[in-house]
Amino acid sequence: MIIDAHSHVHDPLDSHLALLDEAGVDRAVLFGTRPHPERAVDLASFKREMSVLHATISGQSAGAEAHEAAVRELAAACAAHPDRFIGFGKVRLDVPAGQIAAEVERDVVARGFRGIGELTPPPDGAGLIEPVLRASADHGGLPVVVHGFAPTTAGDLATLADLARRHPSVPLVISQLGGLNWLTAIELAKETPNLYLELSTTNVVFALRLAIQEVPDRTIFGSDAPYGDPVLTRAFVERVTAPGELRDRVLGGTFAELLGL
């Protein structure tokens, strides 16, 4: 089974399904989203969508209404194509810990989503995810995915590794291989048994090859579509691996085990 472990709701959904078919991807982990760059028709509209993205990855809250709209859009996409999409529910980090636990129950577990993410704490604010990890552990250790590219800092990655060690029953996934801090991410993952590296947005071949070589059982193929392309990202993984068990694990086997598929 080939699993794209990182994608966001597309509008329309058919465009995403076509990409998955072209890439030979069986299933995709789907995150809710407020920005929709795929809707842009010109530079001005693209800049508007990217301004929303910048606010999101900087940890700026959009409020309850926008959050709930994204949850509903995600739920509708997963309900329309349960054979292709694996839903991960996002929770807000700007609310008390008790409310975070309630949102995990309501917006993740009760909706049948299989994990939590993509979380976007503010720069140098990765410690805000600890209540999410506690709630995950309370529900059997749901995988938790955290944004890894800028503006996430090297200090954030160290915080995430420390939190993973404090919550060993929770698989904690750093997305985008930690962005420009990829070497730090690899070193931390080697030392932390429940820390996983998702490989989307990697643009340095040495980074991809080294991550798979050093952490072969916890590196995961993802595209970050619509920002990335599953055809190209799968080809990138296949470029640095030989056919066989290791490639199969990276392209889906490891994540299938995490999700019990």
Side-chain angles (χ1 to χ4, degrees):
M1 182 184 295
I2 308 298
I3 301 174
D4 181 345
H6 188 140
S7 67
H8 300 270
V9 178
H10 286 46
D11 181 20
L13 288 177
D14 287 348
S15 65
H16 192 185
L17 295 172
L19 278 174
L20 297 177
D21 290 342
E22 185 181 2
V25 172
D26 299 297
R27 305 190 71 180
V29 170
L30 199 62
F31 303 131
T33 184
R34 291 192 293 120
H36 278 283
E38 73 281 6
R39 291 174 179 166
V41 295
D42 55 21
L43 179 60
S45 57
F46 182 75
K47 288 177 67 176
R48 283 195 296 271
E49 295 296 339
M50 294 305 284
S51 70
V52 179
L53 174 66
H54 176 73
T56 299
I57 63 177
S58 298
Q60 298 176 29
S61 174
E65 185 176 343
H67 170 76
E68 290 165 7
V71 171
R72 289 193 300 271
E73 183 182 52
L74 172 64
C78 293
H81 300 281
D83 58 327
R84 303 302 298 275
F85 295 138
I86 303 167
F88 271 43
K90 185 174 181 177
V91 296
R92 291 181 295 163
L93 301 176
D94 60 334
V95 296
Q99 187 171 336
I100 287 176
E103 288 195 4
V104 169
E105 176 67 41
R106 183 192 68 210
D107 292 337
V108 180
V109 177
R111 290 182 180 272
F113 294 151
R114 304 298 296 270
I116 304 169
E118 179 189 16
L119 300 180
T120 53
D124 295 316
L128 291 172
I129 77 160
E130 184 158 28
V132 181
L133 300 183
R134 289 198 297 266
S136 166
D138 290 342
H139 291 284
L142 296 169
V144 176
V145 180
V146 183
H147 180 80
F149 209 87
T152 301
T153 67
D156 284 322
L157 299 184
T159 297
L160 292 174
D162 181 59
L163 291 173
R165 289 188 285 270
R166 283 192 245 162
H167 300 275
S169 68
V170 178
L172 180 56
V173 182
I174 295 175
S175 68
Q176 297 114 354
L177 192 51
L180 298 180
N181 298 304
W182 56 268
L183 190 56
T184 297
I186 294 170
E187 291 171 336
L188 291 168
K190 286 190 66 175
E191 302 167 355
T192 313
N194 58 319
L195 195 63
Y196 291 73
L197 301 175
E198 183 269 312
L199 302 172
S200 66
T201 322
T202 308
N203 57 9
V204 178
V205 69
F206 295 110
L208 199 70
R209 183 181 290 120
L210 191 63
I212 294 172
Q213 174 185 310
E214 296 294 324
V215 199
D217 57 335
R218 285 178 283 116
T219 42
I220 300 167
F221 157 64
S223 71
D224 202 2
Y227 305 94
D229 187 311
V231 173
L232 299 178
T233 49
R234 178 177 177 177
F236 203 177
V237 170
E238 292 178 342
R239 180 66 174 170
V240 301
T241 58
E245 182 180 356
L246 175 59
R247 178 187 287 179
D248 292 345
R249 287 191 63 84
V250 174
L251 288 177
T254 294
F255 215 64
E257 287 180 5
L258 276 182
L259 298 176
L261 300 178

